[in-house]
Amino acid sequence: MKIHDHNQWHHVPTEEVLQFLDVDLTTGLSIDEVERRRRQFGPNRVTARRTTPVWLKFMQQFNQPLVYILLLAVGVTAFLGEWVDSSVIFGVVIINAIVGFLQEAKAEKAIEALAKMVATETTVRRGGRKVRVHSEQLVPGDVVLLQSGDRVPADLRFFRVRNLHADESALTGESLPVAKQADALALDTILAERRNLAYAGTLVTSGQAEGVVWAIGDQTETGRISRLISSAVELSTPLTRKIAQFSQLVLWVILALAAGTFALGVARGAPPAEMFMAAVALAVGAIPEGLPAAVTIVLAIGVSRMAKRQAIIRKLPAVETLGSTTVICSDKTGTLTENQMTVREIYAGGRGYELTGSGYEPAGELRLGGVAVETSAHPALRECLLAGVLCNESQLVREEGRLKVQGDPTEAALVVAAEKGGVLRADAHGLTPVLDTIPFESEHMFRATLHEARSGRVIYKVGALERLLERCTDALGAAGTVVPLDREAVLRAAESMAAGGLRVLALARRQVEARHDRLEHAHVAAGLTFLGLQGMMDPPRAAAITAVQRCQQAGIAVKMITGDHLVTARAIAGKIGLKGEVQNGQLAALSGRELEQVSDENLPAVAERTAVFARVAPEQKLRLVRALQSRGHVVAMTGDGVNDAPALKQADIGVAMGITGTDVAKGAAAMILTDDNFASIEAAVEEGRGVFDNLTKFIVWTLPTNAGEAMVLLTAILFGTVLPALPVQLLWINMMTALLLGLMLVFEPKESGLMARPPRDPKTPLLTFALFMRTGLVSLIILAGSFWVFFWELTTQGATEAEARTAVINVIVLVEVAYLFSCRSLTRSVYALGLFTNRWAIAGSLAMLGAQLLFTYAPAMNALFHTAPIGAGTWLRIAAVAGAAFVAVELEKWIRFGGRRSAGAIPS
C-alpha cells in the first residue's frame, strides 16, 4: 500500500480513499494487518530531533571573538606571572559563559510538545469491533470514531459526519470551531477550508464523526510543522552581529599593533625581549576586558526589567533585538484580539443597536443612537436576546479568575449579549425549559429548540440569514407586535454588519400548539416570525490598539499575518489602525491563495507594502518573515498557535503568548508575554531601546580608555622613551574602571523620547562617525595629558619613574570618571539629565577614587603595582586634565547637536 499525495486527500472521493487505504469501513483493519502496517510505517508520533549535548552547548559560549580576547588576556597575564590578574580575567570568562549558557540554552521543547499533542487514547474499529487504543498505535487505514471532547489522534479523512465541529485555531488561526463534512472538495481548496479532513492535535468541540487515518506521525500536518521548526534558521541578532564585527576588528587591530611594535623595535636595534614585553603591554592596554561582562550584565538587567513588564526573555540578545525591531508580524486571533467572540451590533424591530464592552465579561450596555437603553422598553430587542440565550447549549464558567466557554464561542457571545440586556441564562432556561432540539448541522446552517413558555409552546431558531429569512412570513415590530417583514431592510442591515467584519446570525420564532412535544425540520421550514440579527466578532484588544499606534509612531511597521478570513482580518486591521498600502479606499490585503501566485523575487516588495495577510498557511508565514528579512528588516513575530511556531523561530525574535499560547509556540519563541497583551510588546521595545542605548554608552565610554592607553604606549615605543605605564598597571585600570565606573551606565534610566524616534537602522555600525570622532577626541586628551604629566613629573619635579607612572595612571582614571558623566547622554548635557538621577554613577565614582587612593598610597599596592605616593601639586595637574576632557566633550556635544536632536537619540 502506498500513501496518496499529501495535498490530494480532501479532493479524492470516499470510495477511492478506501481503495487506496485498502480498508472496509464496517469492520476496519484486521489485527494482523494493523501489525503489518505498524512495522511498515512505524508509530504514530512526531520524531524527536537529536539535541546538542549540554557540555557542547556550554563550550559554544566560548566560541566568540570577545571571549578570544579575554582568553588572550588570561594567557598574557599568566605569562607575565600575574596570577591574580590572570585568575580574575579567567573568572570573568567563566561567569560570562555560565550566564550565557543559563539564559540562552533553549531546550528544544517544541518537538516534545508536538508529540504530547498527539499522545492520546482514541476509539477505533478493528476486526469488526470498537476498541480503545493509544494514539501511538494507529496506522494508516485505521477507522477512527470521534465525539465531542476528543483530541484528533492523526490526520483523518471523514466519511460519516454528524454535526461535528473542530477547534483548529492553534493550527490554522481560524477563531471559530469549523463545521466538518464528508463530501470531496475542489483540489485547490486551502488548508483552513478542507472541511472533510481533521488534523492531529486539534479538538472536537461538538458532534460525532467517523474517519479513516491517512497520515500519522511525521507525515501529519503537525509533523510537517515540526520539520518547518527544525528547518527555520536561528538568526544572530543585530547586537550579536555588531559585537562580533567590532570584536573581530579590535582583535585584529590589537594583534597588528603588537606585532608591528615588536617588529619596529627590533628593526631599530632594541633588545627582542624588551620589545616583546612592550608589545605585551600594548596588547594588554588595548584589550577591553570589561566589554563581554558588560554586555552580559546589561542584557541580564534588561531581562529583569522586562519581566516586571510581563515579558519573559528566554534568550539574552532578544532584549536588544526588540529595540532594533523594524517590523512586527502579529497573529490576529488571541494576540491582537481577545479570542472571545462578542456581539457588537443587533438589528431588531427595524432598529440598529450597539453593544459596549468586549470579551466574555458581561460588563457593557446596549445603546440606540448612542444612548443607553433598557430592554424592558424595547420588546423586539428583548425577544431577540431571549432567542439567542434559549436556542443555546453553551455556558460560561469562571476558572482561575477567567471566564471560559463550555460549548461553542458563537453561542457564548449570544449568552453574554443577553446578560448585558438583563436576560440571564439561568432565569431564561428556568422559566422557558427546553423540550426538544434540532442541533446545528453544516448542511442546514441552523439550530432550533422547542420550549414550554407561559404563552404556550414556542420554537426558537438561530442560523445563517440566507437559510432563515426565506422561511419567515412576518417580523416582530419595535413595539413587540407582529408586523410585515421588510426583507430589503433586513438584507441592508446584514450587509452593513458584514462589511464591518461581523459574523451575522439571524433569529426567529414560531408559536406552536401544545400537542407538539417533538421538534422536526418541517416545524421550522415555514411560518417563522423574524426577530432580528446579531452581529459578532472577535474584538481587538483595547490595549493592542494603543500599542500598535505607539509602535507605528516609533517607526515600526506592524503587519497582521493570520489564518482567519480576509474580510475579518481587514476589518480588525482597520479597527486597530494598521498602516499600509490602500487600494480602492481599503487597506491592501492578500489571501493565502493570492500569496501563492507571488514569486520569490516579487515577494519582498509585496510583503513590504502590504499590512494584512489572511488565510495564510504555516509555510507562507515562514516565507513572509524571510522575505522581510531579505530587505534588511529586523523582524519580530508574535503568535500563540502551533501554526505560528516555524515563523516564531525564523524571526529575529519570536514572541509567544504565555496564557493562550501553545507549548509549541513557547518552545520556538525567544520571548513570552505572561499577560498575552500586545501592549507588553511596545513596553518591551522601549526597554530594548534603552538597553541598546546603555550598551552603546558603555562602549563609547570604554573605548577611549583602551585606545588612549594603546596610543600612549605606541607613542613611547615609536620615540624610544620610557614606558609611561606597565602592563600590570594597565590591567588595574581596565578591570577596576570597567567594574566601578562603566557598569554604572548599565543602571542609567531610560532617556525621554525613546519611542519618538525611528528604529535604529540595522546597517548602522555600532560606532557611528560622530561617536568615533568623540572616541578619538578623548583618546587624544588621554595621550596628551598622560605625556604632559609624565614628563612634567620626571623633568620639572624630579620624580621617580614609579611616581610619574602613578600620576599617569591617575590621569587616565580621572579622565574616565569625568567622561563617565558625559556619557550618561550621548547628545545632551549632563546637566539636562540632572546630576543625581543616576546615583549608581556617583557611588561608583567615589568608590573608584577611593581605590585610586589605595593604589597610590597603600604600601602593599605600591609593591604589587610598582606605584609610589604623589604630592598635592600632581593631583592638581591630574584634575586639570580631567576637567579639560569633561569641558571638551560637553562643548563638542553642544556644537554638534545643540537642540537639533530629539532627546535620547544616538548620534549618527
Side-chain angles (χ1 to χ4, degrees):
M1 182 195 72
K2 183 178 180 181
I3 294 184
H4 203 237
D5 189 317
H6 190 278
N7 288 315
Q8 293 185 13
W9 287 100
H10 62 281
H11 175 62
V12 180
T14 304
E15 296 75 16
E16 288 190 37
V17 170
L18 300 177
Q19 184 179 350
F20 276 123
L21 296 172
D22 191 20
V23 60
D24 183 344
L25 294 181
T26 58
T27 61
L29 298 174
S30 66
I31 302 302
D32 291 340
E33 181 63 18
V34 169
E35 288 300 323
R36 190 187 70 78
R37 296 189 185 190
R38 189 176 298 149
R39 289 193 298 271
Q40 180 180 356
F41 297 108
N44 176 33
R45 62 168 177 258
V46 177
T47 303
R49 265 199 318 164
R50 294 178 62 183
T51 58
T52 305
V54 173
W55 67 269
L56 185 55
K57 287 183 179 179
F58 181 73
M59 293 304 295
Q60 287 172 346
Q61 302 300 314
F62 298 92
N63 186 28
Q64 46 186 308
L66 275 180
V67 176
Y68 299 157
I69 295 176
L70 283 180
L71 292 174
L72 176 63
V74 171
V76 169
T77 50
F79 179 81
L80 293 174
E82 301 294 338
W83 300 110
V84 173
D85 300 298
S86 182
S87 300
V88 169
I89 301 172
F90 187 67
V92 170
V93 174
I94 295 298
I95 291 171
N96 186 54
I98 291 173
V99 172
F101 173 76
L102 293 177
Q103 289 285 353
E104 294 183 18
K106 184 166 59 174
E108 295 294 338
K109 295 180 180 178
I111 306 300
E112 297 173 20
L114 286 162
K116 289 177 184 176
M117 288 185 67
V118 186
T120 57
E121 281 199 345
T122 189
T123 302
V124 297
R125 185 179 293 122
R126 287 178 177 173
R129 299 189 325 160
K130 292 182 182 179
V131 292
R132 293 282 290 177
V133 299
H134 196 280
S135 63
E136 284 193 6
Q137 298 175 6
L138 289 181
V139 297
D142 257 327
V143 177
V144 175
L145 287 68
L146 295 176
Q147 60 183 1
S148 179
D150 286 348
R151 190 171 291 280
V152 179
D155 285 3
L156 308 178
R157 167 63 195 273
F158 290 123
F159 57 83
R160 188 174 295 125
V161 176
R162 178 171 174 77
N163 190 32
L164 186 130
H165 289 70
D167 179 0
E168 298 179 344
S169 60
L171 185 67
T172 66
E174 172 66 66
S175 55
L176 294 172
V178 179
K180 294 297 183 178
Q181 66 180 60
D183 298 335
L185 300 170
L187 183 59
D188 63 349
T189 304
I190 63 174
L191 178 75
E193 295 177 359
R194 294 175 184 174
R195 302 300 176 91
N196 56 5
L197 302 182
Y199 300 106
T202 58
L203 187 68
V204 177
T205 58
S206 63
Q208 298 175 332
E210 295 183 16
V212 61
V213 175
W214 60 269
I216 62 171
D218 293 337
Q219 302 303 315
T220 63
E221 196 64 34
T222 303
R224 292 176 63 240
I225 289 177
S226 78
R227 293 198 299 277
L228 287 176
I229 296 173
S230 301
S231 67
V233 180
E234 289 203 51
L235 302 179
S236 57
T237 72
L239 176 69
T240 56
R241 288 194 289 267
K242 288 183 174 66
I243 291 292
Q245 293 166 1
F246 174 73
S247 302
Q248 288 175 345
L249 177 63
V250 169
L251 181 62
W252 288 113
V253 168
I254 290 172
L255 293 176
L257 283 176
T261 299
F262 177 79
L264 179 64
V266 172
R268 294 174 56 180
E274 181 180 324
M275 291 315 302
F276 179 74
M277 292 307 296
V280 166
L282 178 62
V284 169
I287 292 174
E289 289 89 351
L291 184 55
V295 171
T296 301
I297 293 171
V298 167
L299 296 179
I301 289 176
V303 168
S304 176
R305 287 178 177 174
M306 286 188 180
K308 294 177 182 176
R309 302 187 74 170
Q310 314 304 320
I312 303 300
I313 300 297
R314 301 182 69 240
K315 235 184 164 185
L316 265 183
V319 177
E320 180 274 335
T321 308
L322 270 172
S324 300
T325 297
T326 58
V327 177
I328 298 176
C329 295
S330 176
D331 185 40
K332 178 186 73 68
T333 306
T335 307
L336 291 169
T337 65
E338 300 277 3
N339 200 18
Q340 298 179 354
M341 292 298 291
T342 306
V343 176
R344 306 308 292 265
E345 297 180 21
I346 295 177
Y347 176 81
R351 299 171 175 173
Y353 299 86
E354 296 178 353
L355 285 81
T356 63
S358 63
Y360 295 144
E361 292 292 343
E365 59 187 13
L366 286 83
R367 294 178 178 176
L368 178 63
V371 179
V373 298
E374 294 292 334
T375 54
S376 57
H378 296 261
L381 172 62
R382 184 175 181 83
E383 189 67 12
C384 183
L385 292 172
L386 183 64
V389 78
L390 286 175
C391 190
N392 196 318
E393 282 188 335
S394 300
Q395 59 182 332
L396 292 160
V397 294
R398 192 172 293 277
E399 296 179 5
E400 300 177 354
R402 290 169 56 88
L403 283 170
K404 296 185 178 180
V405 180
Q406 287 186 344
D408 186 86
T410 300
E411 293 184 358
L414 298 175
V415 172
V416 175
E419 285 198 31
K420 291 177 181 178
V423 180
L424 303 181
R425 181 185 184 280
D427 294 346
H429 280 267
L431 293 172
T432 316
V434 63
L435 301 176
D436 198 13
T437 300
I438 297 177
F440 180 91
E441 294 183 2
S442 55
E443 58 265 35
H444 298 303
M445 299 297 290
F446 73 85
R447 170 183 171 81
T449 51
L450 173 65
H451 295 265
E452 184 73 65
R454 292 177 181 176
S455 58
R457 294 190 172 176
V458 59
I459 298 171
Y460 287 107
K461 183 178 180 181
V462 178
L465 177 64
E466 60 270 20
R467 297 294 182 89
L468 192 144
L469 188 60
E470 62 188 18
R471 290 170 171 77
C472 294
T473 55
D474 49 35
L476 193 67
T481 57
V482 175
V483 299
L485 175 62
D486 187 346
R487 297 178 185 275
E488 294 300 320
V490 172
L491 292 173
R492 284 196 301 270
E495 288 173 2
S496 174
M497 289 182 181
L502 301 183
R503 183 189 182 201
V504 182
L505 289 181
L507 302 97
R509 76 178 186 193
R510 180 188 175 194
Q511 300 286 345
V512 293
E513 298 176 4
R515 60 184 176 82
H516 285 87
D517 56 4
R518 298 279 299 172
L519 188 57
E520 299 176 1
H521 282 271
H523 298 151
V524 292
L528 300 174
T529 298
F530 178 78
L531 299 178
L533 306 171
Q534 294 199 36
M536 62 186 66
M537 72 186 311
D538 179 12
R541 295 174 181 264
I545 296 174
T546 303
V548 167
Q549 290 174 348
R550 290 202 62 187
C551 285
Q552 291 177 157
Q553 289 169 0
I556 302 169
V558 181
K559 299 182 184 294
M560 179 191 295
I561 304 179
T562 178
D564 214 337
H565 294 279
L566 187 65
V567 173
T568 305
R570 183 184 274 129
I572 293 293
K575 293 179 183 297
I576 288 174
L578 293 189
K579 295 179 181 178
E581 187 178 60
V582 176
Q583 297 175 349
N584 301 321
Q586 289 186 313
L587 196 64
L590 280 179
S591 68
R593 187 166 294 171
E594 293 168 327
L595 201 57
E596 286 179 354
Q597 309 305 315
V598 180
S599 66
D600 290 338
E601 292 75 20
N602 296 331
L603 185 59
V606 171
E608 182 88 48
R609 65 175 181 260
T610 308
V612 179
F613 300 90
R615 306 305 273 174
V616 174
E619 297 93 335
Q620 293 175 321
K621 291 188 177 188
L622 197 59
R623 191 173 169 228
L624 283 169
V625 171
R626 286 171 173 162
L628 289 167
Q629 288 172 335
S630 73
R631 290 179 73 93
H633 283 294
V634 178
V635 181
M637 170 74 189
T638 76
D640 58 359
V642 174
N643 61 326
D644 297 320
L648 286 174
K649 191 169 182 182
Q650 173 67 34
D652 293 273
I653 174 169
V655 184
M657 303 295 116
I659 299 174
T660 59
T662 60
D663 289 342
V664 181
K666 294 174 187 176
M671 186 174 89
I672 300 171
L673 302 182
T674 59
D675 60 355
D676 280 19
N677 195 337
F678 185 90
S680 296
I681 298 174
E682 183 269 331
V685 167
E686 186 177 19
E687 290 293 344
R689 290 187 173 191
V691 164
F692 193 92
D693 278 9
N694 287 351
L695 193 57
T696 302
K697 292 171 184 177
F698 176 86
I699 293 172
V700 170
W701 171 83
T702 196
L703 283 185
T705 305
N706 300 108
E709 291 172 4
M711 289 169 66
V712 166
L713 293 172
L714 190 60
T715 303
I717 293 168
L718 286 174
F719 288 96
T721 65
V722 178
L723 291 180
L726 299 175
V728 69
Q729 295 169 342
L730 298 179
L731 276 174
W732 165 267
I733 295 175
N734 292 353
M735 296 304 295
M736 293 302 294
T737 56
L739 178 65
L740 297 179
L741 297 180
L743 287 183
M744 300 307 107
L745 289 172
V746 170
F747 303 101
E748 184 66 31
K750 294 187 295 292
E751 294 187 55
S752 59
L754 274 178
M755 295 301 287
R757 69 190 197 215
R760 183 179 174 87
D761 186 345
K763 298 177 182 177
T764 302
L766 195 62
L767 207 60
T768 62
F769 177 76
L771 297 181
F772 178 79
M773 294 302 291
R774 187 178 302 168
T775 299
L777 172 65
V778 178
S779 299
L780 288 172
I781 292 173
I782 290 176
L783 172 65
S786 296
F787 269 99
W788 173 64
V789 169
F790 184 67
F791 285 108
W792 182 275
E793 296 300 310
L794 285 177
T795 58
T796 306
Q797 301 298 316
T800 63
E801 286 186 5
E803 291 171 336
R805 283 172 174 156
T806 303
V808 168
I809 300 305
N810 281 300
V811 164
I812 297 173
V813 170
L814 262 67
V815 168
E816 288 193 65
V817 171
Y819 188 43
L820 175 75
F821 288 92
S822 289
C823 285
R824 289 188 54 210
S825 175
L826 300 178
T827 58
R828 295 190 293 164
S829 167
V830 64
Y831 301 108
L833 298 177
L835 287 174
F836 300 100
T837 50
N838 185 347
R839 298 182 184 276
W840 286 97
I842 295 174
S845 299
L846 292 175
M848 189 70 236
L849 292 175
Q852 283 307 112
L853 291 176
L854 289 174
F855 178 84
T856 305
Y857 296 107
M861 301 292 278
N862 295 156
L864 185 61
F865 290 99
H866 312 291
T867 57
I870 56 177
T874 304
W875 280 111
L876 288 176
R877 287 184 284 277
I878 292 169
V881 175
F886 180 79
V887 171
V889 173
E890 291 297 304
L891 185 62
E892 183 265 346
K893 281 196 282 187
W894 182 78
I895 292 172
R896 187 182 294 274
F897 306 113
R900 294 181 289 111
R901 282 271 172 180
S902 61
I906 295 177
S908 58

